[in-house]
């Protein structure tokens, strides 16, 4: 398995910097993520060999199986290695392998599980042995086999072949339910009772109008490790996600078709997370391209704007793996008009790019906001995020910490903001937006009084 080279022409780079890029840009970024994952897995295998023992054998078996699958069906390896959870799990493994004080490293078993999933996708016959963790064997992007009453230290035998896969522990087998692409999704069987044995499937969020489904991943802790997950969702909670997701997708299709094309191209999974104080929460991670963590959506409009927002973060995270945009100095923090905490410069850059997308969302939303209250809110949201994003963009340009390519990116983002500034906001909405921005800065300043460069206007 070789790591391909990637080239991005200046025109496409500029389109991304202007806030878009479309599915073409997302596909290039996804290919870059695949190369990054290949390099990461290689490093895990190399350092596991140096570590020796069972760790080396597990990593070697995983690499050999991935190589065999790649010869038969390279697309199966691409799909498996770019699943969001493989980044955090293998980074954690690599960090443990690099720790001279680590006596044992258990992480390569996640890589072996992923290799088994790739073999299953390719229809290849193989058998691997995986440890049980908390009574389960997790197969990334598919689900988990549960053996609730299994004793400590037991292992599972995972068999794959053209007819599917099974997981066996102490003579008890669980069939892996895999939906064949292009066929209707059947109603999955009920989850096994706690302490029981059975298959826990990942449930798809089916997109209307033939859009690709997203996995609602409530099983894999590595899919979005930045926030605590909800654990297994109840059927009613999954139904709420599906209803709201369907309506949000329809809204994006009707009013925001260009952002929807990127949302559909970016996302493969949504992780339900817990939100403090019943607030809406969404987030993305540099190492989980194609995934976002979200609290249970409270409104269709809120979910729609969050999907657009997080797609922007995903795009920029993948771009920063291809280009150095910022030359940060450790400990240097800045004011971000959308956060309660001081942010490093790359965090400010992320916020600028994401909120450019948010401001555009609210401007387009005016096309369908028929009622006066809805139009007033849309104008407020548009004006607030446009204006504070300009402020933060100016901070970026004046920081002296942008690389040459980073400066080009931020200047293009500024051009997109200039285009938004041509829209005249009604006086009451503009005043309210400015009031909200002042109030946020006031709260932030009181909380973080100190010699931060971010306090400069």
């Amino acid at each position: 398995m070789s790591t391909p080279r990637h080239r991005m022409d200046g025109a496409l780079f500029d389109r991304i910097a202007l806030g878009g890029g479309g599915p073409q840009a997302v596909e290039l970024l996804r290919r870059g993520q695949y190369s990054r994952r290949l390099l990461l897995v290689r490093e895990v295998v190399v350092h596991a060999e140096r570590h020796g023992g069972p760790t080396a054998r597990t990593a070697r078996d995983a690499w050999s199986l991935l190589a065999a699958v790649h010869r038969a069906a390279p697309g199966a390896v691409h799909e498996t290695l770019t699943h969001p959870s493989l980044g955090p799990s293998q980074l954690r493994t690599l960090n443990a392998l690099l720790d001279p004080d680590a006596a044992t490293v258990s992480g390569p078993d996640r890589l072996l599980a992923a290799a088994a999933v790739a073999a299953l996708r390719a229809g290849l016959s193989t058998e691997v042995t995986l440890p049980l963790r908390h009574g389960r064997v997790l197969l990334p992007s598919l689900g988990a086999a549960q053996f609730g009453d299994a004793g400590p230290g037991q292992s599972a035998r995972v068999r794959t072949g053209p007819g599917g896969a099974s997981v066996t522990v102490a003579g008890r087998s669980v069939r892996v339910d895999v939906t064949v692409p292009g066929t209707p999704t059947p109603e999955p069987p009920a989850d096994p009772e706690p302490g029981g044995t059975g298959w826990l499937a990942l449930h798809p969020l089916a997109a209307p109008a033939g859009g690709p489904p997203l996995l609602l991943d409530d099983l894999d802790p590595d899919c979005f490790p930045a926030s605590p997950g909800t654990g297994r969702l109840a059927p009613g909670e999954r139904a709420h996600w599906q209803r709201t997701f369907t309506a949000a997708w329809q809204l994006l299709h009707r009013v925001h078709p260009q952002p929807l094309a990127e949302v559909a191209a970016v996302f493969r999974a949504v992780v339900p997370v817990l939100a403090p104080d019943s607030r809406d929460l969404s987030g993305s991670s540099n190492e989980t391209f194609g995934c976002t963590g979200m609290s249970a959506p409270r409104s269709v409009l809120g979910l729609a704007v969050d999907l657009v927002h997080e797609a922007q973060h995903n795009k920029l995270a993948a771009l920063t793996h291809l280009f150095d945009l910022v030359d940060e100095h450790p400990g240097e923090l800045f004011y971000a008009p959308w956060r309660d905490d001081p942010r490093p410069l790359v965090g400010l850059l992320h916020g600028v790019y994401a909120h450019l997308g948010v401001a555009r969302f609210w401007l387009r939303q005016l096309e369908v906001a028929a009622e006066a209250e809805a139009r007033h809110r849309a104008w407020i949201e548009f004006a607030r995020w446009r204006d504070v994003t300009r402020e933060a963009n100016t901070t970026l340009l004046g920081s002296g910490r942008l690389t040459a390519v980073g400066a080009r990116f931020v200047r293009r983002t500024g051009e997109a903001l200039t285009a938004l500034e041509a829209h005249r906001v009604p006086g009451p909405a503009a005043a309210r937006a400015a009031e909200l921005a002042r109030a946020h800065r006031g709260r932030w300043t009181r909380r973080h009084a100190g010699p931060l460069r971010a306090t400069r206007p």
Side-chain angles (χ1 to χ4, degrees):
M1 292 182 288
S2 60
T3 305
R5 292 178 175 269
H6 305 281
R7 294 181 62 87
M8 179 182 292
D9 65 54
L12 181 57
F13 180 88
D14 287 343
R15 289 200 298 274
I16 296 172
L18 287 165
Q24 176 193 4
V26 174
E27 178 55 32
L28 191 153
L29 295 172
R30 189 175 296 281
R31 292 198 301 269
Q33 290 297 293
Y34 176 57
S35 294
R36 180 178 172 85
R37 293 288 175 82
L38 273 177
L39 291 171
L40 175 59
V41 169
R42 280 181 178 176
E43 285 296 298
V44 167
V45 174
V46 167
H47 288 281
E49 288 283 7
R50 295 172 182 169
H51 192 276
T55 297
R57 287 194 297 274
T58 302
R60 192 183 310 126
D61 290 346
W63 181 259
S64 296
L65 181 52
L66 285 169
V69 175
H70 190 269
R71 288 191 292 271
V77 175
H78 184 285
E79 184 176 357
T80 300
L81 290 190
T82 55
H83 184 66
S85 70
L86 262 290
S89 71
Q90 296 315 297
L91 273 177
R92 186 176 63 252
T93 301
L94 182 59
N95 287 333
L97 288 167
L98 294 173
D99 182 356
D101 297 325
T104 60
V105 179
S106 60
D109 61 85
R110 292 297 305 274
L111 183 59
L112 185 56
V117 170
L120 176 57
R121 287 198 170 105
L124 298 184
S125 297
T126 191
E127 181 176 316
V128 301
T129 300
L130 298 172
L132 267 74
R133 301 196 183 282
H134 308 292
R136 292 179 180 177
V137 176
L138 179 69
L139 298 180
S141 77
L142 299 181
Q146 177 173 290
F147 299 87
D149 57 354
Q154 285 191 286
S155 296
R157 187 172 64 251
V158 180
R159 289 194 179 103
T160 73
S166 64
V167 183
T168 303
V169 174
R172 292 169 297 158
S173 291
V174 170
R175 185 75 180 171
V176 176
D177 293 327
V178 181
T179 301
V180 178
T183 63
T185 302
E187 182 64 27
D191 287 350
E193 293 294 326
T197 296
W199 177 248
L200 298 166
L202 291 181
H203 298 278
L205 282 174
L214 279 65
L215 291 174
L216 188 60
D217 198 330
D218 55 3
L219 290 172
D220 192 341
D222 285 319
C223 229
F224 193 72
S227 296
T230 59
R232 194 65 167 161
L233 295 177
E237 294 172 315
R238 293 196 299 268
H240 169 74
W241 269 99
Q242 182 62 71
R243 286 192 302 271
T244 314
F245 178 76
T246 297
W249 197 276
Q250 291 168 337
L251 170 62
L252 292 172
H253 178 74
R254 187 173 72 254
V255 186
H256 312 268
Q258 291 180 339
L260 175 60
E262 294 187 353
V263 166
V266 166
F267 288 119
R268 295 292 180 269
V270 175
V271 175
V273 300
L274 298 175
D277 305 323
S278 300
R279 292 183 288 121
D280 289 333
L281 178 69
S282 70
S284 297
S285 166
N286 278 351
E287 299 300 337
T288 58
F289 181 79
C291 179
T292 178
M294 291 184 173
S295 57
R298 295 193 295 171
S299 71
V300 171
L301 189 58
L303 179 57
V305 71
D306 282 347
L307 287 169
V308 172
H309 181 150
E310 299 306 333
Q312 293 290 94
H313 279 303
N314 270 254
K315 285 161 50 187
L316 183 56
L319 189 75
T320 59
H321 292 158
L322 299 177
F323 300 97
D324 291 325
L325 303 181
V326 174
D327 180 20
E328 286 196 279
H329 284 210
E332 194 170 54
L333 300 173
F334 296 79
Y335 170 67
W338 37 76
R339 294 281 298 228
D340 293 333
D341 55 334
R343 301 296 289 160
L345 200 67
V346 71
L348 191 64
L349 176 60
H350 260 281
V352 164
Y353 193 65
H355 283 86
L356 169 62
V358 170
R360 281 178 168 164
F361 177 95
W362 287 107
L363 181 63
R364 286 186 298 267
Q365 196 61 26
L366 284 161
E367 299 173 11
V368 294
E371 298 179 359
E373 183 177 349
R375 290 188 63 79
H376 183 60
R377 181 195 174 188
W379 276 121
I380 292 172
E381 298 286 351
F382 166 68
R384 180 182 180 187
W385 300 123
R386 177 197 65 181
D387 294 348
V388 298
T389 301
R390 165 64 77 186
E391 173 191 341
N393 198 72
T394 301
T395 299
L396 287 168
L397 287 172
S399 68
R401 302 287 186 245
L402 300 176
T403 64
V405 70
R408 174 173 173 166
F409 185 91
V410 174
R411 285 196 298 269
R412 293 293 182 271
T413 303
E415 291 171 10
L417 290 166
T418 298
L420 295 183
E421 288 167 348
H423 295 271
R424 184 175 179 276
V425 180
R432 177 58 177 160
E435 178 186 1
L436 290 170
R438 285 194 303 272
H440 182 276
R441 180 180 276 276
R443 290 193 303 272
W444 189 95
T445 301
R446 289 190 295 273
R447 184 178 296 133
H448 303 291
L452 293 176
R453 294 185 62 188
T455 58
R456 296 190 308 180

